[in-house]
């Protein structure tokens, strides 16, 4: 049987802490959240490796979808400087792991994804984990989620060349957009 708690500790100690992630809130969040609960069953044994995990292959002209590797996620979250009272829009969280991390650091998280399967999986896992301050919603990611705007932080999972104007319009004055 796989000891996921030990793998989680190894991920935090070997990938997160060794890469200058010094915010102990992030370390504690990543230590407490069972990442294996957010990956497809066939990838559970790989949930804590230092690599992106493919959640879905390319389909219908859309690119494959990945869960960001732990170290990159931790560095982006640290850069975001998430505060306990902030409202966060997590764009493209897939099955919701990044949303769970952000929910441990902020006041409220809206997890926006365009795939119904990801939204359903995220909501189920987040609910099972008792994270009441986060909800996954379905919609076009480049349009944001205006119903809850303005946001203190918009967190982008993955790389983009240009931030869509709709996202910028949903940012609170003095807010931040963080992504690759």
């Amino acid at each position: 049987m796989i000891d996921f708690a030990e793998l989680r500790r190894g991920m935090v100690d070997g990938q997160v802490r060794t890469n200058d992630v010094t915010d102990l809130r992030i370390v504690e969040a990543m230590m407490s959240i069972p990442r294996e609960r957010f990956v497809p069953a066939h990838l559970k044994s790989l949930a804590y490796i230092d690599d992106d995990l493919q959640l879905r292959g390319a389909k219908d002209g859309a690119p494959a979808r990945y869960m960001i590797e732990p170290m990159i996620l931790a560095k982006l979250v640290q850069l975001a400087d998430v505060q306990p009272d902030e409202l966060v829009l997590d764009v493209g969280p897939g099955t919701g792991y990044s949303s769970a991390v952000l929910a441990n650091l902020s006041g409220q998280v809206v997890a926006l994804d365009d795939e119904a399967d990801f939204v359903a999986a995220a909501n189920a896992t987040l609910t099972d984990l008792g994270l009441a301050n986060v909800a996954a919603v379905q919609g076009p990611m480049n349009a944001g989620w205006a119903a809850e705007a303005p946001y203190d932080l918009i967190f982008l999972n993955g790389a983009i060349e240009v931030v869509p104007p709709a996202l910028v319009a949903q940012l609170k004055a003095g807010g931040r957009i963080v992504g690759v």
Side-chain angles (χ1 to χ4, degrees):
M1 178 172 254
I2 298 172
D3 184 350
F4 288 114
E6 187 59 34
L7 292 176
R8 192 173 317 119
R9 185 175 349 301
M11 174 194 76
V12 171
D13 290 345
Q15 300 171 42
V16 175
R17 290 182 184 190
T18 59
N19 282 287
D20 295 325
V21 175
T22 56
D23 186 331
L24 294 179
R25 298 174 313 132
I26 298 168
V27 170
E28 290 171 11
M30 294 184 87
M31 192 68 117
S32 69
I33 298 166
R35 194 168 194 257
E36 72 275 7
R37 299 273 312 271
F38 294 91
V39 299
H42 71 281
L43 293 177
K44 288 197 183 302
S45 64
L46 302 174
Y48 295 98
I49 66 170
D50 189 17
D51 202 357
D52 296 332
L53 293 176
Q54 187 176 40
L55 298 174
R56 179 193 48 75
K59 70 173 189 179
D60 301 326
R65 293 286 302 276
Y66 294 86
M67 179 184 291
I68 297 175
E69 68 181 271
M71 184 269 295
I72 299 297
L73 176 63
K75 295 287 278 187
L76 287 172
V77 171
Q78 182 166 276
L79 178 66
D81 190 30
V82 184
Q83 298 302 306
D85 61 342
E86 290 186 321
L87 174 59
V88 177
L89 176 63
D90 188 17
V91 180
T95 54
Y97 178 71
S98 60
S99 303
V101 172
L102 292 165
N104 272 263
L105 306 172
S106 68
Q108 186 74 32
V109 176
V110 176
L112 172 65
D113 207 284
D114 58 6
E115 294 201 28
D117 291 347
F118 287 162
V119 171
N123 275 323
T125 305
L126 295 165
T127 298
D128 285 350
L129 295 176
L131 294 170
N133 66 331
V134 58
V137 295
Q138 183 181 0
M141 293 186 287
N142 62 351
W145 192 257
E148 300 293 328
Y151 299 97
D152 297 289
L153 169 65
I154 298 177
F155 189 87
L156 306 175
N157 282 275
I160 61 170
E161 290 184 30
V162 177
V163 176
L167 293 180
V168 175
Q170 293 173 29
L171 195 61
K172 188 178 284 185
R176 295 138 1 254
I177 297 178
V178 175
V180 178

